[in-house]
């Protein structure tokens, strides 16, 4: 069965510290992988996506993610978080760039001063 | 360019009533999707339109939910009659072929 797991429901990080959000997937075919962010009162915004090619993907707002096929993971990282990074982050997988997405449960990130 | 818009932003209704949610996709996007997030759970796919046709409705929970996309433009999702377990946030997204999905802000539905 296909699944997306975000093991961390909630993460607290200090402003300026590094952040890593974990995502593991189970998918029969080559997956299309996405990270979305939802800030309070906003819709989901795409941070980055992986379809093929270089396994280290750069996104917006200084985020990057690395696709590791052997570990079925697509972890999101940011070297130095800003208070505005406080939001909920969702990992998602799809069969293609335009098909339905399957989401993880989300990770709520709190940024402390 | 305007993003995906959804109306209303919030809706509070009583069990047994009918509610209609509306989604206006980004102009020119043939693909339109509906998703739902029930409290404490993950975001789940409901259905996918290509223009006015239903491409995939495998996620629709039951026949109390009816989705339409008039003329391949905006879409409505009607819940009739609403039940308590229908409460949650309903997201709409749209995309062009080969591009990622752009999401709206969602409609928060509360069924009392």
């Amino acid at each position: 069965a296909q699944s997306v797991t975000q093991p961390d429901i909630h993460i607290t990080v200090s402003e300026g510290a590094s952040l890593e959000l974990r995502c593991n997937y189970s998918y029969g075919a080559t997956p299309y992988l996405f990270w979305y962010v939802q800030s309070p009162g906003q819709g989901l915004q795409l941070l980055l996506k992986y379809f093929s090619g270089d396994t280290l993907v750069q996104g917006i707002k200084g985020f990057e993610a690395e696709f590791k096929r052997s570990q079925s993971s697509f972890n999101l990282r940011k070297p130095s978080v800003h208070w505005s990074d406080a939001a909920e982050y969702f990992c998602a997988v799809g069969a293609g760039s335009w098909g339905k997405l399957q989401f993880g449960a989300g990770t709520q990130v709190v940024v402390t001063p | 360019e305007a993003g995906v818009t959804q109306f209303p932003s919030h809706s509070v209704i009583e069990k047994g009533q009918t509610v209609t949610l509306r989604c206006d996709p980004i102009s020119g996007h043939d693909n339109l999707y509906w998703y739902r997030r029930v409290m404490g759970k993950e975001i789940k796919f409901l259905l996918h339109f290509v223009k006015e046709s239903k491409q995939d409705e495998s996620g629709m929970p039951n026949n109390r939910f009816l989705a339409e996309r008039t003329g391949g433009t905006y879409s409505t999702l009607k819940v009739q009659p609403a039940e308590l377990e229908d409460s949650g946030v309903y997201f709409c997204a749209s995309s062009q072929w080969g591009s990622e999905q752009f999401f709206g802000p969602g409609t928060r539905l509360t069924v009392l």
Side-chain angles (χ1 to χ4, degrees):
Chain A
Q2 301 166 3
S3 66
V4 181
T5 302
Q6 292 181 247
D8 304 304
I9 297 172
H10 188 275
I11 285 180
T12 299
V13 60
S14 299
E15 191 169 13
S18 64
L19 174 67
E20 181 168 15
L21 304 182
R22 295 181 290 166
C23 174
N24 293 95
Y25 66 90
S26 173
Y27 205 77
T30 300
Y32 285 66
L33 296 160
F34 306 82
W35 275 100
Y36 282 87
V37 61
Q38 186 181 22
S39 299
Q42 305 294 315
L44 283 79
Q45 181 182 22
L46 181 69
L47 286 175
L48 47 77
K49 60 190 177 187
Y50 173 77
F51 291 171
S52 64
D54 192 346
T55 55
L56 185 61
V57 181
Q58 301 298 319
I60 63 171
K61 304 186 179 187
F63 285 92
E64 67 177 25
E66 186 170 13
F67 171 60
K68 292 185 177 180
R69 185 186 300 275
S70 61
Q71 299 178 19
S72 297
S73 70
F74 188 57
N75 294 347
L76 182 72
R77 298 191 293 255
K78 185 169 184 177
S80 176
V81 299
H82 186 262
W83 63 267
S84 60
D85 294 323
E88 191 162 19
Y89 293 78
F90 297 92
C91 180
V93 62
S97 61
W98 51 267
K100 64 183 177 185
L101 297 177
Q102 185 163 353
F103 285 86
T107 298
Q108 185 72 47
V109 173
V110 173
V111 180
T112 60
Chain B
E1 179 181 304
V4 177
T5 57
Q6 294 186 245
F7 182 83
S9 56
H10 294 85
S11 180
V12 181
I13 62 172
E14 295 196 349
K15 176 182 172 180
Q17 290 186 321
T18 297
V19 63
T20 300
L21 313 181
R22 173 170 170 145
C23 169
D24 286 80
I26 294 172
S27 177
H29 282 193
D30 287 340
N31 296 289
L32 187 149
Y33 311 80
W34 284 98
Y35 293 85
R36 175 174 76 168
R37 189 182 194 193
V38 172
M39 180 74 73
K41 303 281 181 111
E42 66 270 23
I43 300 168
K44 289 206 167 183
F45 168 81
L46 296 178
L47 87 159
H48 170 201
F49 282 100
V50 176
K51 297 185 179 179
E52 68 275 11
S53 299
K54 292 175 185 174
Q55 175 76 15
D56 181 355
E57 53 184 327
S58 61
M60 294 289 265
N62 51 62
N63 59 10
R64 295 186 292 104
F65 288 75
L66 175 64
E68 294 180 325
R69 190 178 183 192
T70 306
T73 56
Y74 71 91
S75 175
T76 58
L77 180 65
K78 180 189 288 188
V79 185
Q80 179 181 29
E83 298 289 344
L84 298 179
E85 63 264 25
D86 300 332
S87 296
V89 181
Y90 289 76
F91 292 101
C92 176
S94 71
S95 75
Q96 294 176 315
W97 291 104
S99 81
E100 67 269 19
Q101 296 176 31
F102 294 84
F103 281 78
T107 292
R108 182 173 295 278
L109 174 63
T110 301
V111 182
L112 303 177

